Amino acid sequence: MKELFRLKPYFVRHKWMFILGFLFVTISNICSTSLPRVVGKTIDSIAQSVGKNTFSSTDIAWHIGLMFALTAGSGFFMFLTRKTMIVASRKIEYELRSDVLSALERQPLRYFQRTPTGELMAYSTNDITAIREFFGPAVMYSANTVTTFFFALSMMIALSPFITIMALLPMPFVSYGVYRIGAKVHLLFKDAQDHYGKMTAKAQENLSGVRVIRAYGREEDEIKAFHSMGEGYLRKMMRLVNIEAIMMPLMISLVGLSQVLVLGTGGYLVMRGEATIGDVTQFFIYLNLLIWPVIAIGWVTNLIQRAAASTGRLGRVFDEVPDIADSDATNHAITTIHGNVEFRNVRMKYAPNLPFAIGDENGGISFTIKAGETIGIVGETGSGKSTLVNLVPRLFNHTDGEVLIDGQPINTIPIHTLRSAIAIVPQEAFLFSMNIADNIRFGKPNASMDEVVEASIIAQMHENVKGFPEGYATVVGERGVTLSGGQKQRTAIARAVLCQPQIIIFDDSLSAVDTETEEKILRGLREVMQNRTSIIIAHRISTVKNADTIIVLDHGMIAERGTHEQLIEQGGIYAAMYSRQLLEEEISAIE
């Protein structure tokens, strides 16, 4: 239950809505608990007037009008209660969704590598819904239960303390049952939610990898695997439902026992002349008023336990401290970047127990890129090329050494300043479910259509877009599914070009285009890359051969460096790669 204290700031932010809601529910229950009093007095008046004609139709009409007014007042103020408390819970739900997304967006890439997407989605669905139900129905019905009990018990004690005591005899059993069942609900719901996160992750993975699944004919196997996970979730939820199912029958049974005790005790007192039929009738009405609050105790307890479990799960997100963020070392006076990049003996590990991805036990790598220069990086798969360039925008932190931008250690530069000056074109271009124009202007939302088209022309995408029925208004679908690999890469290149960054990084971003298109793109990029620091990762030598400097990586270390001509003369790794690619081109030409 202590997990719920995390939600205090949200409650405080909307405290006046909850205070008003409590006021309205109080007035509503004053009306509803006054009604049995009127009914009881009416019954006693009618009973006393039998044979005496002392109770006229006018008196009956007056009592009926009073009962109608109390009923209408109870309903109206309960409506106002829902308008305040339920609305407040929806606002908190909105704020909580925004806060969860903000917390996730602050996390480094390392966090997303170890946390399944499905589990992250579960945070934003079931968990937030459970917390919203705590702030809404749980708080509202708790207030309703407390005020109903207070006013009803006050009226009942005023009528007959003895009958009230008999009516309340089953209540300790209610409290004990709620306590025992609630504890089990908390554990079972947490277990079910954890399993739901895994199941959501599996579904997301299957949907994202649907092409691979179909290509290998694994549809039935994946369906069976998901079915097995679904059965596991069903078993966990059934255990939870079975426990929850005990709650309401238990509440109703205990309320029924109270009614039997009231009937027996009240009937005895009526026969002795110590109570009236109207008094006993009031007790039955009061017990009926207490039925829903008593039942709500069990339901509210379930909601509270679910909210506590979900708050604990979300707490893991809020407690995660990003290892890449502005800190006391950040120099906020740095507002611009010119583009000088320097690596000094840099080493990097993805985790302490893993080998070095950059550098080795003997040392790291060092090189300098002056503002406006173009550097090419080549090497075999797994040699550390992408890891190296991911250190420049601080997508990952280096382990040892120094990475400097314009002579400043990279961890002293504000994150926003650093990343707003850098554009990255990854090998696997990610496009959003928007039209082509909006995908291109993603890094510069206020860009004009002329700027979008100009960037598209440089990226050799304009002619393709003109062939689409809706042109730049064509929606590309999730992850750009309607475009080919080369079209997605060129759209991503146009996006980077449009930003006009000081540092531009191409991470093997021309791998999906043919050599002729590659040459056209590079020719268009030469003007863009003037006076900008450019880092080009490539497997094809043709992509980097015009770079000012080329670095050859091998197992995370710099094996060779120089211009294209210098590296060919060295006759090392680079020259071997170049010869192999020339041979492949000759064979392809013959075929």
Side-chain angles (χ1 to χ4, degrees):
M1 297 295 292
K2 63 182 180 180
E3 295 95 339
L4 293 176
F5 284 103
R6 286 179 171 274
L7 303 175
K8 180 181 176 181
Y10 297 96
F11 182 84
V12 171
R13 201 174 298 146
H14 299 279
K15 62 183 178 182
W16 288 112
M17 294 190 75
F18 287 107
I19 289 172
L20 278 175
F22 187 81
L23 175 63
F24 292 144
V25 78
T26 300
I27 297 173
S28 173
N29 285 326
I30 288 174
C31 294
S32 63
T33 54
S34 298
L35 185 61
R37 194 79 167 171
V38 176
V39 173
K41 287 186 176 181
T42 303
I43 290 174
D44 285 339
S45 297
I46 293 173
Q48 291 170 8
S49 70
V50 173
K52 300 178 182 179
N53 295 323
T54 58
F55 199 69
S56 65
S57 58
T58 303
D59 295 325
I60 294 175
W62 162 252
H63 282 77
I64 290 174
L66 183 57
M67 285 187 281
F68 176 79
L70 289 172
T71 303
S74 176
F76 175 71
F77 283 103
M78 184 54 69
F79 164 74
L80 293 180
T81 300
R82 298 185 67 87
K83 282 284 289 182
T84 50
M85 288 188 173
I86 299 300
V87 168
S89 73
R90 289 293 183 180
K91 290 183 176 181
I92 290 173
E93 178 187 26
Y94 163 77
E95 293 170 1
L96 196 56
R97 288 189 191 280
S98 299
D99 290 346
V100 169
L101 182 60
S102 296
L104 290 174
E105 287 184 341
R106 287 194 298 270
Q107 302 305 323
L109 289 182
R110 198 187 310 274
Y111 176 82
F112 298 98
Q113 288 177 337
R114 69 172 187 264
T115 309
T117 304
E119 184 173 342
L120 301 179
M121 295 303 298
Y123 292 150
S124 300
T125 52
N126 279 18
D127 288 320
I128 290 180
T129 298
I131 294 172
R132 190 262 302 167
E133 289 179 345
F134 163 71
F135 277 111
V139 171
M140 184 180 70
Y141 289 120
S142 294
N144 184 47
T145 298
V146 169
T147 54
T148 300
F149 262 98
F150 177 77
F151 292 119
L153 287 178
S154 299
M155 299 287 190
M156 292 165 70
I157 291 171
L159 282 171
S160 173
F162 181 61
I163 298 178
T164 302
I165 292 172
M166 297 302 294
L168 296 180
L169 279 178
M171 293 306 166
F173 298 99
V174 172
S175 300
Y176 179 73
V178 167
Y179 169 75
R180 291 297 302 273
I181 295 172
K184 290 185 178 180
V185 166
H186 177 79
L187 294 175
L188 291 174
F189 184 74
K190 183 178 183 300
D191 187 33
Q193 280 296 90
D194 289 340
H195 192 92
Y196 178 80
K198 295 176 183 176
M199 192 168 65
T200 307
K202 180 67 174 176
Q204 186 271 337
E205 191 175 64
N206 280 356
L207 293 174
S208 298
V210 65
R211 291 183 179 179
V212 177
I213 292 171
R214 289 185 175 178
Y216 284 87
R218 293 293 303 275
E219 292 94 338
E220 292 299 322
D221 297 301
E222 291 301 315
I223 290 172
K224 288 178 182 178
F226 186 78
H227 182 69
S228 176
M229 294 187 73
E231 286 182 338
Y233 180 67
L234 177 62
R235 286 194 296 270
K236 293 177 187 293
M237 287 303 297
M238 288 306 298
R239 286 199 293 269
L240 177 63
V241 169
N242 288 334
I243 292 295
E244 290 178 338
I246 299 173
M247 188 81 78
M248 192 168 292
L250 177 64
M251 301 296 106
I252 294 175
S253 299
L254 292 173
V255 170
L257 179 58
S258 293
Q259 291 177 331
V260 171
L261 292 173
V262 167
L263 180 60
T265 307
Y268 175 73
L269 293 179
V270 169
M271 288 187 293
R272 291 190 57 177
E274 297 178 13
T276 66
I277 295 176
D279 293 339
V280 177
T281 302
Q282 289 182 60
F283 269 97
F284 275 107
I285 297 175
Y286 281 124
L287 284 177
N288 284 330
L289 285 176
L290 292 176
I291 287 177
W292 168 244
V294 170
I295 292 173
I297 290 174
W299 184 51
V300 166
T301 300
N302 289 337
L303 293 181
I304 292 173
Q305 296 293 349
R306 290 182 178 216
S310 292
T311 303
R313 282 167 50 82
L314 291 183
R316 297 202 294 265
V317 179
F318 293 127
D319 289 341
E320 188 78 27
V321 179
D323 59 351
I324 298 177
D326 291 339
S327 64
D328 294 338
T330 303
N331 183 0
H332 293 283
I334 301 175
T335 57
T336 58
I337 286 177
H338 300 292
N340 293 291
V341 180
E342 183 178 359
F343 279 60
R344 294 180 184 173
N345 200 30
V346 173
R347 299 193 298 175
M348 190 269 183
K349 282 184 177 182
Y350 283 105
N353 59 330
L354 295 177
F356 284 103
I358 295 294
D360 58 22
E361 290 75 9
N362 298 319
I365 65 174
S366 302
F367 64 90
T368 301
I369 314 172
K370 294 181 180 179
E373 284 188 345
T374 298
I375 186 171
I377 303 176
V378 298
E380 300 296 334
T381 301
S383 59
K385 302 184 297 297
S386 294
T387 300
L388 182 67
V389 295
N390 282 336
L391 299 179
V392 178
R394 281 193 76 189
L395 298 180
F396 294 96
N397 273 332
H398 55 282
T399 306
D400 297 310
E402 282 189 304
V403 178
L404 301 100
I405 305 288
D406 297 339
Q408 299 291 328
I410 199 168
N411 62 343
T412 66
I413 301 174
I415 294 291
H416 177 73
T417 300
L418 175 68
R419 292 179 180 170
S420 62
I422 300 173
I424 302 178
V425 186
Q427 179 179 2
E428 296 182 8
F430 185 93
L431 301 185
F432 296 89
S433 299
M434 304 185 293
N435 62 44
I436 294 174
D438 287 338
N439 266 291
I440 293 174
R441 60 163 65 98
F442 183 79
K444 188 180 179 182
N446 58 348
S448 66
M449 198 62 215
D450 289 340
E451 291 177 297
V452 170
V453 172
E454 183 181 354
S456 182
I457 291 172
I458 292 172
Q460 299 298 309
M461 185 62 186
H462 182 62
E463 293 301 320
N464 289 102
V465 175
K466 287 200 303 184
F468 297 148
E470 297 181 47
Y472 284 93
T474 302
V475 177
V476 300
E478 185 179 4
R479 293 176 177 266
V481 67
T482 58
L483 302 182
S484 68
Q487 289 170 338
K488 285 192 285 187
Q489 282 191 338
R490 280 176 280 159
T491 302
I493 291 171
R495 176 193 294 165
V497 168
L498 184 60
C499 292
Q500 297 183 342
Q502 289 304 115
I503 301 173
I504 187 166
I505 300 172
F506 299 94
D507 187 356
D508 205 13
S509 52
L510 297 173
S511 58
V513 300
D514 58 77
T515 52
E516 183 179 348
T517 303
E518 176 191 61
E519 179 56 36
K520 291 179 181 178
I521 293 173
L522 291 173
R523 195 161 50 245
L525 287 174
R526 286 192 187 105
E527 183 177 346
V528 174
M529 291 160 61
Q530 284 182 2
N531 302 319
R532 289 186 173 85
T533 304
S534 305
I535 303 174
I536 305 175
I537 292 177
H539 281 94
R540 285 202 295 247
I541 299 299
S542 58
T543 310
V544 299
K545 66 180 182 180
N546 293 320
D548 298 309
T549 303
I550 300 170
I551 290 175
V552 181
L553 288 184
D554 184 35
H555 295 92
M557 295 295 291
I558 297 178
E560 301 172 4
R561 74 176 78 195
T563 63
H564 174 72
E565 292 75 15
Q566 290 170 344
L567 293 174
I568 293 296
E569 290 178 4
Q570 289 180 21
I573 298 173
Y574 183 88
M577 291 176 61
Y578 185 57
S579 298
R580 186 167 59 250
Q581 290 180 17
L582 286 177
L583 181 60
E584 289 171 357
E585 291 175 5
E586 290 176 4
I587 293 173
S588 298
I590 294 172
E591 291 177 350

